[in-house]
Amino acid sequence: MRVICHGGAGGVPDEPEPRQAVLDEAAGTGAAESDAVDAVVAAVEVLEESPRFNAGCGGAVQSDGVVRTDAGIMTDGREAGAVASMPGVANAAAVARVVMEETPHVLVSGVHAVDLADDFGVAVERDLLTDDARADYEDADPPAPDAGPREHLAWLDERFAGHDTVGAVAHDPDDDSFAACTSTGGRTFALAGRVGDVPQIGSGFFCAPAGGASATGAGEDIARATLTRRAVRHLEEGLDAQAAADRAVAEFGELTGSSAGVIVLDEGGAGSAYNSEGMQTSVATGPE
């Protein structure tokens, strides 16, 4: 099993070494699994449980003071599942897997996704707001609890920021299968209920027989450019994983003028590229 993980494309982190250690743990955890879907979910769960990353327990707070999580997962057989806008659910990747494997749907959102998580044994009603995020929100003079969307939009106009995400792609050489998974807490001070690229097929995640990709960055622009579908299409055209990642990010930058990163995995190996200040990744290979 080969797994590549990313911890989000954005600025250079204040403490890169501890973050890298968690990424290495995540990649190694995934690589120890014997199935590609198990691998990406296990890897992403390690990152969702770390407050150092914008997913799960470290998710970004929205304009109403609530952390809502999104995730998506896909296999090379085009099976897919996604969830969006879930308060109190850290392990969004596991719920996306439930959607893929247990429902006839591709995307479930909001409180109904939380109910689905609860019914299938994924922990709910967790406090995802870290002390730092809570302090930042309180210091930003947020809207009153009964304020309407227009007031929220006026407040976030100069505050909406950030675009870290986590993700993983796995390749199982035993059956030449791939899986890709991405999970996020969104963007800081986004409008309550905002959903970005992460749960959208071809934007935050994509997988096909040629390989898989997971994206991170400015979600609205990633969705407009369908970044992961673009990267996998380059694999289908014959580029290797690194060349596909490089070309997809270059095209993204030309199209949007925005920042993002992508990890890509094919049968031959892993690739990653970004045009932000930084993006940490980790690659691991399990025992044969």
Side-chain angles (χ1 to χ4, degrees), residues 25-180:
E25 177 189 353
T29 298
E33 298 289 343
S34 58
D35 172 86
V37 171
D38 289 341
V40 292
V41 173
V44 168
E45 185 169 306
V46 172
L47 303 175
E48 291 171 333
E49 290 293 337
S50 172
R52 296 184 180 278
F53 300 92
N54 179 16
C57 295
V61 60
Q62 295 192 332
S63 64
D64 61 350
V66 176
V67 177
R68 295 177 175 88
T69 57
D70 311 331
I73 187 170
M74 189 172 186
T75 73
D76 61 291
R78 313 246 179 207
E79 297 173 306
V83 287
S85 205
M86 296 189 300
V89 180
N91 302 130
V95 193
R97 182 179 189 173
V98 169
V99 174
M100 179 176 73
E101 296 181 342
E102 304 292 344
T103 82
H105 310 306
V106 168
L107 175 62
V108 180
S109 67
V111 296
H112 302 294
V114 176
D115 291 342
L116 183 68
D118 190 29
D119 221 29
F120 280 85
V122 181
V124 300
E125 297 184 358
R126 295 181 60 180
D127 184 3
L128 307 183
L129 193 59
T130 65
D131 290 342
D132 287 345
R134 182 177 288 106
D136 289 344
Y137 179 73
E138 293 172 352
D139 290 346
D141 190 24
D146 59 349
R150 286 182 181 272
E151 189 171 338
H152 279 252
L153 286 168
W155 173 82
L156 65 85
D157 183 53
E158 296 181 357
R159 294 178 173 88
F160 177 50
H163 45 58
D164 282 352
T165 292
V166 305
V169 188
H171 175 234
D172 181 357
D174 289 343
D175 59 3
D176 196 25
S177 63
F178 292 91

Side-chain angles (χ1 to χ4, degrees), residues 77 113 161-162 184 228:
T184 190
T228 54

Side-chain angles (χ1 to χ4, degrees), residues 202-238:
S203 297
F205 65 104
F206 195 77
C207 206
S214 170
T216 171
E220 281 72 13
D221 292 319
I222 290 173
R224 294 183 183 105
T226 54
L227 179 55
T228 54
R229 182 64 186 99
R230 186 177 297 271
V232 174
R233 183 178 296 115
H234 292 321
L235 294 180
E236 293 170 337
E237 293 169 348

Side-chain angles (χ1 to χ4, degrees), residues 231 234-235 237-246 264-266 268-271:
H234 292 321
L235 294 180
E237 293 169 348
L239 296 185
D240 64 24
Q242 185 58 55
D246 288 336
V264 182
L265 195 65
D266 66 3

